[in-house]
DNA sequence: GCCTCTCCTGGGAGCGCTCCCAACAATAGA
DNA sequence: TCTATTGTTGGGAGCGCTCCCAGGAGAGGC
């Protein structure tokens, strides 16, 4: 009974050949129903499962997709963003019975070894790359290989890649118009790092929206690094400029900004109206609750998987999927939520 | 030039056989330095990488370990716990040049399909299972297979499994003694779900510590579900009992509890001293900053990988690794941090 | 009764690797 | 000079699967 449990063995027990068992396992077409029944009985009884590596080798397809999250990982996981993204991706891979392989790397020597591991033939069928910084060498590297991949976010040279992003620019513009609509006249901006495309898009969108409303940030602008602490410091600096509103390019930085406002003895939204971006920090975590531009992170992840499967399937003309954002009006901006059917 | 790039082809170009190239790729012993040099040159020039599936099939080892996180995933990712755990695991798999496969499942029909996918032969070499609930059927299922696995957390039937856990009981006991040492006499408990071993251990440890100090919770006990909102409701209920201290079995619930205290017009730590468990919420997120029993989540993850590699290597006598916790004294308990060299 | 067409089934070849054994050359020892 | 030993190399076998082709059985048309 120590015979290995493979197709041949299952076939032997069911009185058929390896090939017939294989056909049953793969959907059962071109097999008589009687034979199929018998083979399935043996499979159920023995608990046979096809050997993944053998299957990958023979079919040249692994059923695994990789998710690459580069650099600065330690800080990234304090941000719920990646958790949500992984959730969406995982849910989509489950739907199509694929497995998710996670490639996280901090900076350092392991970076290059992981990059090359990602493109190892026979390991994954395709890769989802999260592009956080501009000019990320990872994207260039991927383009130099034949590994199918899609980018979550907007790389600089987006033209030639498949990518899934949210409309950061439009979302930020909406935030500007919302603040202007509330009668605020001295808006400030706590921007996200300008070496990320998301940071640039949010900044530009906000400035664009202000311009449309006849407003400007003038010198009321400061840049954070996504962290809560950086938001707090940025707000501290801005307070000297006496702003009556601030758009913070991420929820986490906004939490820090709220703290700075409170510690300066000012009131939000009374003295300063706050709108943030992400919609990812649980609203009840802050007081007042944050009004923010919500991006559909989980959907982005799901969509990235679906897009990747088409690339694996042979799609070759780059496709850019852009999700809209939605403004969730709560207390921090000073508007009465119910009175605001914003878009 | 459309010849497939495999061992044979690399060998052909370097004027040696498939076997010799294989030896070079795998460390280069029993190969003359001259030959080795030539082969390495060809590898560098062609960018050859061995085919993972073929290697797995031939060597019966995939270089992949699976991480299984069962049920209720959606809520879990709002908790930094799993992010940290993944970080530790990922860092350890990188160190040993292995790949991490993530199996997340919500409840529902996909649950059983994923469970069986995890034990597919030739997919992963071993699995790390996070045991959140007592009597988790997943553990039993894994024991019925020959797949090597280790559990993060303490399953009910821990005796027969390899596991890595933190000393929840001792940590909670420390919290009790700390509160007692501050002179609090009406301690309350916001417990974690009693269908989890961590919840049970933290509850028992806290009660044990109180007993040692001659105190008791009497009816000042309420159970949450790990969520912030449940912590808030639990605290609300407990306020009627006029406690002067509360131990909250998780950081997230503690954030909710602080909110309830504030909303009731009471002061923490003035009226109520708060100590929580996890040490995972960034201290600056709350005011006052939380005193909490810190568990070394990342280290647990790293250790789980190392333990799993020994199981894959053939270790057979169950090993239980238990990490100590450490009390981080901040403002919410009312002690002066510097004055407290707690253990 | 013969040929064709369809349906089902079996087995060869091959995916790219590892493992093992045999062969060979060069060197040392007797 | 012959044998033993070591270091290096090549190739067969096999991992478990998929893909493809060929062959047999049965049904139907002439």
């Amino acid at each position: 009974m120590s015979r290995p449990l493979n197709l041949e063995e299952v076939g032997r027990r069911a009185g058929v050949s390896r090939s017939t068992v294989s056909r049953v396992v793969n959907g059962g077409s071109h097999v008589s129903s009687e034979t199929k029944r018998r083979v399935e009985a043996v499979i159920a009884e023995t608990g046979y499962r096809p050997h993944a590596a053998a299957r990958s080798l023979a079919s040249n397809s692994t059923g695994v997709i990789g998710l690459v999250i580069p650099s600065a990982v330690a800080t990234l996981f304090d941000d719920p963003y990646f958790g949500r993204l992984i959730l969406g991706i995982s849910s989509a891979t489950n739907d199509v019975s694929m497995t998710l392989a996670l490639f996280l790397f901090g900076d350092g020597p392991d970076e290059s070894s992981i990059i090359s591991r990602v493109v190892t033939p026979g390991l994954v069928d395709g890769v989802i790359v999260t592009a956080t910084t501009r000019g990320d060498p990872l994207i260039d590297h991927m383009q130099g290989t034949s590994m199918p991949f899609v980018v979550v976010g907007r790389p600089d040279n987006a033209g030639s890649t498949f990518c899934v992003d949210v409309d950061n620019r439009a979302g930020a513009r909406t935030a500007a118009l919302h603040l202007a609509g509330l009668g605020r006249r001295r808006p400030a901006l706590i921007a996200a790092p300008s070496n990320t495309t998301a940071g640039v898009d949010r900044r530009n969108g906000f400035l664009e929206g202000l311009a449309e409303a006849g407003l400007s940030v003038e010198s009321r602008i400061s840049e954070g690094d996504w962290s809560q602490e950086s938001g707090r410091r940025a707000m501290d600096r801005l307070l000297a400029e006496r702003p009556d509103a601030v758009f913070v390019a991420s929820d986490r930085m906004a939490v820090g900004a709220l703290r700075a406002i409170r510690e300066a003895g000012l009131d939000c939204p009374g003295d300063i109206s706050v709108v943030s971006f992400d919609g990812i920090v649980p609203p009840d975590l802050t007081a007042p609750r944050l009004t923010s531009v919500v991006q559909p992170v989980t959907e982005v992840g799901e969509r990235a998987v679906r897009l990747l499967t088409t690339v694996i399937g042979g799609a070759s003309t780059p496709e850019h999927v852009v999700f809209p954002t939605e403004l969730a009006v709560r207390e921090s901006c000073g508007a009465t939520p119910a009175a605001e059917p914003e878009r």
Side-chain angles (χ1 to χ4, degrees), chain A:
Chain A
M1 214 37 49
S2 68
R3 212 183 248 123
L5 185 59
N6 51 27
L7 278 187
E8 201 80 49
E9 171 64 11
V10 172
R12 205 186 56 77
R13 298 201 194 192
V16 296
S17 76
R18 172 171 48 88
S19 301
T20 299
V21 179
S22 172
R23 276 185 285 260
V24 171
V25 169
N26 293 295
S29 52
H30 298 283
V31 180
S32 74
S33 56
E34 160 58 17
T35 306
K36 185 172 172 181
R37 205 192 44 68
R38 224 170 48 237
V39 171
E40 283 172 341
V42 173
I43 290 177
E45 167 197 324
T46 56
Y48 167 78
R49 303 226 73 215
H51 192 283
R55 192 174 236 185
S56 300
L57 178 59
S59 67
N60 198 29
S61 136
T62 64
V64 179
I65 72 165
L67 171 62
V68 181
I69 302 182
S71 52
V73 185
T75 72
L76 294 186
F77 263 105
D78 286 331
D79 195 323
Y81 176 82
F82 285 90
R84 295 284 173 80
L85 185 66
I86 290 175
L87 209 57
I89 290 174
S90 159
S91 140
T93 53
N94 286 346
D95 287 348
V96 293
S97 293
M98 295 185 85
T99 297
L100 173 62
L102 199 57
F103 298 86
L104 301 183
F105 44 94
D107 343 81
D110 50 26
E111 174 161 347
S112 64
S113 91
I114 296 185
I115 289 184
S116 67
R117 186 137 47 84
V118 170
V119 297
T120 298
L123 182 59
V124 298
D125 290 337
V127 172
I128 295 175
V129 177
T130 57
T132 57
T133 61
R134 292 168 68 193
D136 193 326
L138 182 55
I139 308 284
D140 293 336
H141 183 264
M142 291 301 300
Q143 278 171 330
T145 71
S146 57
M147 179 66 71
F149 75 103
V150 307
V151 176
V152 167
R154 183 176 71 78
D156 297 319
N157 45 358
S160 52
T161 62
F162 287 78
C163 50
V164 181
D165 199 6
V166 298
D167 199 336
N168 287 298
R169 188 166 184 130
R173 176 176 163 277
T174 304
L177 295 177
H178 180 71
L179 289 172
L182 292 171
R184 304 290 169 160
R185 289 296 171 264
R186 294 179 60 83
L189 167 63
I190 296 181
S194 50
N195 67 345
T196 64
T197 52
V200 171
D201 291 353
R202 292 178 193 180
R203 173 195 303 240
N204 291 342
F206 182 67
L207 299 181
E208 184 185 318
L210 287 187
E212 284 178 45
L215 296 174
S216 140
V217 289
E218 296 166 11
S219 62
R220 295 182 298 275
I221 180 167
S222 188
E223 184 172 313
D225 62 6
W226 301 113
S227 77
Q228 182 178 328
E229 182 54 26
S230 75
R232 184 178 176 184
R233 282 196 307 267
M235 192 72 233
D236 256 347
R237 280 194 296 276
L238 291 173
L239 285 175
E241 308 276 340
R242 298 280 156 210
D244 60 2
V246 62
F247 169 60
V248 190
S250 89
D251 279 0
R252 282 181 70 209
M253 292 195 292
V255 172
L258 284 180
R259 192 186 181 86
I261 291 172
R262 189 171 56 240
E263 289 176 351
L266 295 170
D267 179 58
C268 166
D271 300 311
I272 301 184
S273 196
V274 175
V275 173
S276 70
F277 203 111
D278 278 349
I280 219 165
V281 162
D284 283 331
L285 201 67
T286 62
R289 301 187 310 148
L290 278 172
T291 286
S292 55
V293 178
V294 181
Q295 57 166 326
V297 185
T298 309
E299 285 83 348
V300 166
E302 288 174 347
R303 190 57 204 275
V305 172
R306 295 219 307 280
L307 185 58
L308 180 57
T309 58
T310 72
V311 181
I312 292 170
S316 57
T317 52
E319 191 176 336
H320 300 176
V321 179
V322 177
F323 280 86
T325 58
E326 200 169 327
L327 181 67
V329 178
R330 303 200 186 86
E331 291 79 34
S332 72
C333 60
T336 317
E340 285 290 336
E342 278 292 330
R343 182 73 200 85

